[in-house]
């Protein structure tokens, strides 16, 4: 078929940076879910420090002989990530490692869900793991603290864990009066006051009741926040076989809390766990959580996500529907991963991994019928005069796609012929028109032959 437009095939360039300098460079185009796309992450604790969002997740790694329990969760360290726009994220590197904490049982690979809080000029990082049996603490999990002068560290672990705390999933909350509270889980959800030094309890431990009973399934992962004088206790709960995110509301940081509803339903694809944090950033609330996007057949290797969250007028939380698109604006000049779609056609469009042997390479969108489309919302074209569009695509039989703005029937700004062949090509086509501002980008097909697209970008 003769080309309907002049098409230039560009040579793709892949680059990997493993220098220390990479710790301080934001990853490109991370506004889609999952938003950390080069390693497994789970249990995200999000905090706003100095007008920037910091996320402290756990770090899943694949188990192997001599490294953890095969078929189970395996975690040996923690990283911290930050962003000022929820789109571009910086990996600040490892902040705590299991064998550098003096009281931790060596090589136990159980550095589970953490949290971090700021107080009196310092940042306190709380993490659960298993102690040495010889410390007198006993078997099972306890909770330690590492302290830093900056939110990204370096963090220095305390010599011993917090006394009289047995459990996992620490969460710390400071009320408007300056009182700090520690929450954790071990079957029940527990809470207690913390001393000013943030490393010792300052009250008796309290079981937080008025939540679903143990007979109704596992509860864990507490995360507390305050809004309009009400205290929200959020937590994952297994009523059947998979965790969903729930919440309860009270008038005091230690309750009593009254069950108020579900924040997010169980995973439709079977990821057993979920774990949440909720923050307000630039006048918008967000829910951070995790799913097994990069490990669809093994839900012990997970990846963190973020979606917008909204409240009803009465203070209750509107249920969040998880998205692939995530949040934030995507720069039109960066790679727009259309497989992280906002919406797709009822038929003729599907998503699959680019490489099943290396899931971190991401996904591709597959079109196989006339008029199939996928829509990616909130692309920022700014005031620049974009002149062309690049598409990384492949089609065994060849085909044609159109780039539209705003919706599937919106104005066509480019028509691209995908050449016949099995190999991926980067195709560059001039735009027939351009509109500045923020638009949805839609890719539609003009034929029945299968077409695969990795990403699009404008220049």
């Amino acid at each position: 078929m003769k080309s309907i437009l002049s098409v230039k095939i560009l040579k793709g360039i892949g680059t990997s940076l493993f220098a220390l300098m990479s710790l301080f460079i934001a990853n490109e185009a991370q506004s889609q879910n999952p938003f950390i796309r080069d390693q497994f992450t789970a249990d995200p604790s999000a905090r706003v420090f100095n007008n920037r969002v910091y996320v402290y997740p756990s770090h899943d790694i694949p188990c192997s002989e001599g490294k953890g329990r095969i078929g189970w969760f395996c975690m040996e360290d923690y990283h911290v990530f930050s962003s000022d726009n929820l789109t571009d994220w910086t990996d600040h590197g490892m902040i705590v490692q299991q064998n550098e904490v003096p009281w931790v049982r060596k090589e136990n690979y159980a550095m589970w869900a953490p949290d971090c809080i700021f107080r009196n000029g310092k940042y306190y990082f709380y993490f659960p793991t298993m102690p040495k049996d010889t410390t007198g603490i006993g078997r099972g999990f306890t909770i330690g603290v590492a302290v830093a002068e900056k939110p990204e560290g370096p963090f220095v672990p305390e010599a011993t864990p917090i006394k009289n705390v047995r459990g996992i999933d620490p969460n710390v909350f400071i009320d408007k009066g300056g009182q700090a509270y520690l929450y954790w889980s071990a079957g029940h959800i527990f809470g207690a006051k913390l001393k000013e030094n943030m490393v010792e309890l300052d009250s008796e431990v309290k079981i937080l009741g008025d939540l679903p009973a143990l007979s109704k399934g596992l509860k864990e992962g507490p995360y507390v926040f305050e809004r309009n004088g009400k205290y929200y206790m959020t937590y994952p709960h297994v009523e059947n076989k998979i965790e969903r995110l729930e919440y309860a509301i009270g008038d005091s940081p230690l309750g009593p809390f009254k069950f108020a509803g579900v924040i997010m339903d169980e995973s439709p694809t079977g990821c057993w766990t979920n774990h949440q944090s909720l923050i307000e950033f630039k006048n918008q609330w967000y829910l951070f959580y995790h799913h097994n996007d990069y490990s669809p057949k093994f839900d012990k290797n997970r990846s963190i996500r973020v979606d917008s969250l909204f409240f009803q007028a009465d203070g209750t939380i509107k249920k969040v529907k998880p998205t692939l698109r995530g949040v934030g604006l995507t720069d039109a000049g960066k790679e727009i991963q259309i497989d992280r779609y906002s919406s797709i056609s009822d038929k003729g469009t599907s998503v699959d991994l680019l490489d099943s042997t290396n899931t971190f390479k991401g996904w591709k969108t597959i079109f196989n019928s006339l008029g199939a489309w996928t829509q990616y919302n909130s692309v920022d074209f700014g005031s620049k005069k974009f002149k062309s569009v690049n598409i990384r695509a492949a089609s065994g039989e060849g085909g044609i796609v159109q780039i539209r703005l705003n919706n599937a029937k919106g104005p066509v700004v480019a028509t691209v012929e995908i050449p016949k062949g099995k190999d991926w090509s980067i195709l560059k086509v001039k735009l027939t028109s351009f509109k500045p501002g923020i638009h949805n980008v839609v890719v539609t097909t003009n034929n029945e032959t299968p077409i695969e697209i990795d990403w699009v970008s404008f220049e």
Side-chain angles (χ1 to χ4, degrees):
M1 180 184 294
K2 186 178 179 180
S3 174
I4 58 175
L5 285 175
S6 60
V7 177
K8 180 180 180 183
I9 300 179
L10 305 177
K11 184 179 180 181
I13 300 175
T15 304
S16 298
L17 298 177
F18 293 99
L20 288 175
M21 143 182 207
S22 67
L23 298 179
F24 305 100
I25 299 176
N27 294 321
E28 296 292 316
Q30 299 298 308
S31 54
Q32 308 92 17
N33 281 329
F35 62 90
I36 302 302
R37 304 172 67 187
D38 62 353
Q39 61 189 274
F40 294 119
T41 49
D43 311 314
S45 176
R47 295 293 184 182
V48 180
F49 299 136
N50 306 318
N51 297 315
R52 191 173 180 89
V53 175
Y54 288 80
V55 178
Y56 300 84
S58 54
H59 182 198
D60 289 338
I61 60 173
C63 295
S64 60
E65 290 294 335
K67 180 180 284 189
R69 171 183 160 192
I70 294 177
W72 192 240
F73 302 103
C74 189
M75 311 171 193
E76 64 179 337
D77 58 33
Y78 298 100
H79 286 231
V80 58
F81 304 85
S82 73
S83 173
D84 62 3
N85 59 9
L86 300 182
T87 297
D88 304 300
W89 291 88
T90 298
D91 181 0
H92 296 281
M94 186 177 67
I95 58 172
V96 173
Q97 204 274 346
Q98 64 179 9
N99 291 342
E100 294 179 359
V101 181
W103 55 267
V104 170
R105 182 188 302 169
K106 301 302 180 185
E107 299 180 348
N108 64 49
Y109 299 96
M111 307 293 277
W112 288 12
D115 194 12
C116 190
I117 201 78
F118 173 76
R119 178 140 206 187
N120 296 334
K122 294 183 179 181
Y123 296 85
Y124 295 85
F125 179 74
Y126 297 79
F127 58 95
T129 191
M130 295 183 181
K132 300 174 183 176
D133 291 343
T134 57
T135 62
I137 298 168
R139 296 183 182 275
F141 281 78
T142 190
I143 292 168
V145 186
V147 185
E149 294 184 355
K150 297 179 180 180
E152 68 273 19
F155 283 88
V156 178
E158 293 288 298
T160 58
I162 301 175
K163 294 180 180 180
N164 300 320
V165 175
R166 303 278 186 85
I168 60 173
D169 302 342
N171 166 239
V172 181
F173 170 74
I174 301 175
D175 68 18
K176 291 180 178 179
Q179 177 62 58
Y181 299 84
L182 176 67
Y183 306 89
W184 65 96
S185 60
H188 295 285
I189 291 178
F190 299 86
K193 292 182 180 180
L194 279 172
K195 290 184 178 180
E196 185 78 11
N197 64 18
M198 302 297 286
V199 296
E200 294 178 278
L201 298 187
D202 198 28
S203 72
E204 295 294 324
V205 175
K206 181 179 180 181
I207 296 176
L208 303 181
D210 300 312
L211 304 175
L214 285 176
S215 60
K216 293 186 178 180
L218 173 69
K219 302 185 302 296
E220 57 180 356
Y223 186 91
V224 173
F225 67 94
E226 183 270 338
R227 180 179 181 272
N228 294 338
K230 296 293 184 180
Y231 298 90
Y232 291 72
M233 164 65 72
T234 69
Y235 54 91
H237 173 215
V238 182
E239 185 174 38
N240 296 306
K241 296 181 179 180
I242 297 175
E243 288 185 338
R244 68 185 180 206
L245 301 181
E246 300 177 351
Y247 72 107
I249 299 176
D251 294 323
S252 164
L254 292 176
F257 293 99
K258 182 178 180 181
F259 176 78
V262 175
I263 302 172
M264 179 177 284
D265 287 327
E266 296 91 337
S267 163
T269 59
C271 183
W272 171 46
T273 65
N274 204 345
H275 192 108
Q276 79 300 335
S277 60
L278 296 85
I279 62 168
E280 185 179 20
F281 181 60
K282 297 182 179 179
N283 299 314
Q284 172 63 51
W285 282 85
Y286 296 96
L287 173 69
F288 289 77
Y289 61 104
H290 70 230
H291 195 258
N292 60 321
D293 297 89
Y294 285 122
S295 181
K297 296 181 180 180
F298 182 61
D299 62 0
K300 310 303 184 294
N301 290 158
R302 299 152 298 175
S303 297
I304 54 177
R305 293 176 165 198
V306 58
D307 276 302
S308 297
L309 178 139
F310 300 92
F311 291 85
Q312 307 279 14
D314 63 358
T316 56
I317 298 173
K318 293 181 67 174
K319 187 182 292 185
V320 177
K321 182 178 180 180
T323 75
L324 297 175
R325 172 59 181 87
V327 301
L329 295 176
T330 296
D331 187 331
K334 295 182 179 180
E335 294 178 4
I336 302 166
Q337 307 290 341
I338 63 168
D339 49 74
R340 309 291 87 188
Y341 57 81
S342 303
S343 56
I344 58 173
S345 53
D346 292 336
K347 60 180 182 178
T349 309
S350 61
V351 171
D352 199 3
L353 288 166
L354 278 167
D355 183 350
S356 61
T357 65
N358 183 358
T359 57
F360 290 113
K361 288 185 177 181
W363 299 267
K364 60 186 176 183
T365 306
I366 304 169
F367 302 93
N368 57 21
S369 67
L370 179 66
W373 56 269
T374 184
Q375 178 175 313
Y376 184 104
N377 288 356
S378 304
V379 176
D380 187 4
F381 289 84
S383 57
K384 299 177 183 177
K385 180 64 176 179
F386 286 93
K387 297 180 179 180
S388 60
V389 62
N390 296 324
I391 302 181
R392 186 172 189 263
S395 178
E397 301 177 45
I400 299 171
V401 298
Q402 291 182 321
I403 309 299
R404 299 173 180 265
L405 296 184
N406 301 324
N407 57 65
K409 295 183 179 180
V412 176
V413 296
T415 301
V416 184
E417 180 177 343
I418 314 300
K420 181 178 180 179
K422 296 181 180 180
D423 296 331
W424 288 93
S425 299
I426 299 178
L427 311 167
K428 182 176 182 179
V429 173
K430 290 183 178 180
L431 297 177
T432 57
S433 64
F434 168 72
K435 292 184 178 182
I438 297 171
H439 300 285
N440 303 332
V441 171
V442 185
V443 179
T444 63
T445 58
N446 279 23
N447 51 267
E448 298 282 349
T449 58
I451 296 172
E452 298 182 352
I453 295 179
D454 185 3
W455 50 261
V456 303
S457 68
F458 295 84
E459 65 177 52

